[in-house]
Amino acid sequence: MKNSQPVFALAVVALCAAPSLAAQRFPPDSFTNLQVLPEDINTRALINTMRGFALGLGVRCEFCHVGEPGADLATFDFAADEKATKEKARAMLKMVRAINDDHLAALAERSEPTIAVTCSTCHHGVSKPRSLEDVLRIAIADSGLAGAVSKYHQLRDEYYGGYSYDFGEFTLNGLASDLARSRQVDEALGIIDLNLLFFPQATGAHFIKGEILLIRGDSVAAKVSYERSLELEPNNPAAKRRLAQLGGT
């Protein structure tokens, strides 16, 4: 699991004093260039807000601010708007406020306590809020099946046990099925085999492997997968139907 301990952080808005003061101390006595958060926000509230952004995205100060990783925060130029990530963060903060204050607030019969959207709602501790399926699709497009398998192992080693990605058996089942439907048969077979590496008793994965093998034209191997699926779930009607079509028992 990733151990993310960002300090004060990601600035969705600029946390800063004038550059001359920022170079002398952190936190500063006053702030400039606050374009989204209230101009009169107190230091503790602003730092806690920044911490929330940082934890929600799994990043540190330099993700949005001008400064060197690991350097004293007093050396950061928090007022600078040089990084595109800061402008994106401001837009995201406005979006979150609109969802909570305009859209959700207008709903009737809301539960109590009310549910509010935060950075973590979508980001789950990663800077780019993509599902595991989409990350692997990109990896396949960029570097093929081997790259996707390597990416999966890397993400599992780093994030397993956290809430960033869904490493359950159904995630790769769905991806393999989508790949098979788009006739990326080799990639689909590789992904379902990856799933079976971690979930060897998953009846659904064995059935999907059978479906992929049928698309490939290998009915003999497909029958083996269907039989294994039925062995694990004796009342599986889909596996029974496929075996009957293939002349199995």
Side-chain angles (χ1 to χ4, degrees):
M1 175 179 174
K2 183 178 179 181
N3 182 15
S4 178
Q5 297 292 333
V7 237
F8 297 133
L10 157 72
V12 169
V13 286
L15 166 58
C16 62
S20 60
L21 291 177
Q24 296 175 22
R25 55 178 298 176
F26 181 88
D29 295 321
S30 61
F31 311 110
T32 61
N33 201 19
L34 293 176
Q35 298 184 23
V36 181
L37 292 181
E39 292 184 0
D40 61 351
I41 189 170
N42 66 57
T43 299
R44 180 48 53 191
L46 193 144
I47 287 176
N48 287 340
T49 299
M50 293 301 112
R51 275 203 184 115
F53 298 146
L55 289 167
L57 275 72
V59 297
R60 299 182 73 91
C61 304
E62 63 274 5
F63 185 75
C64 281
H65 293 300
V66 176
E68 294 299 319
D72 191 321
L73 293 178
T75 66
F76 277 59
D77 185 355
F78 287 104
D81 289 335
E82 294 179 15
K83 293 192 173 183
T85 44
K86 181 192 277 190
E87 200 55 40
K88 291 177 183 177
R90 285 183 175 130
M92 291 298 101
L93 183 55
K94 291 176 183 177
M95 178 192 72
V96 167
R97 283 187 171 177
I99 292 172
N100 289 326
D101 298 344
D102 300 335
H103 302 291
L104 293 182
L107 295 176
E109 300 181 10
R110 295 189 68 189
S111 59
E112 291 292 341
T114 57
I115 297 171
V117 170
T118 68
C119 299
S120 295
T121 303
C122 294
H123 283 271
H124 293 170
V126 292
S127 61
K128 293 183 178 179
R130 292 192 174 105
S131 66
L132 180 58
E133 298 100 306
D134 285 344
V135 172
L136 296 179
R137 283 191 184 95
I138 292 170
I140 288 172
D142 289 345
S143 52
L145 175 61
V149 171
S150 176
K151 187 67 175 179
Y152 180 86
H153 284 288
Q154 173 201 330
L155 293 176
R156 191 179 178 92
D157 288 345
E158 188 172 1
Y159 291 101
Y160 187 81
Y163 69 151
S164 298
Y165 298 104
D166 182 0
F167 293 103
E169 68 176 89
F170 300 111
T171 298
L172 295 187
N173 279 355
L175 176 58
S177 296
D178 288 346
L179 290 168
R181 280 190 289 269
S182 64
R183 290 302 187 263
Q184 294 176 271
V185 179
D186 291 341
E187 291 82 358
L189 194 57
I191 292 297
I192 204 64
D193 281 339
L194 175 63
N195 206 27
L196 286 167
L197 177 66
F198 293 98
F199 300 99
Q201 304 300 310
T203 181
H206 285 286
F207 180 83
I208 290 169
K209 183 172 183 178
E211 298 287 271
I212 297 168
L213 289 165
L214 268 191
I215 293 173
R216 183 187 246 185
D218 190 346
S219 59
V220 174
K223 182 179 176 182
V224 173
S225 290
Y226 294 133
E227 288 173 341
R228 179 58 176 151
S229 179
L230 193 61
E231 179 185 345
L232 291 165
E233 186 184 349
N235 293 319
N236 185 330
K240 287 181 178 180
R241 185 167 57 252
R242 280 288 189 252
L243 283 171
Q245 292 169 349
L246 295 172
T249 57

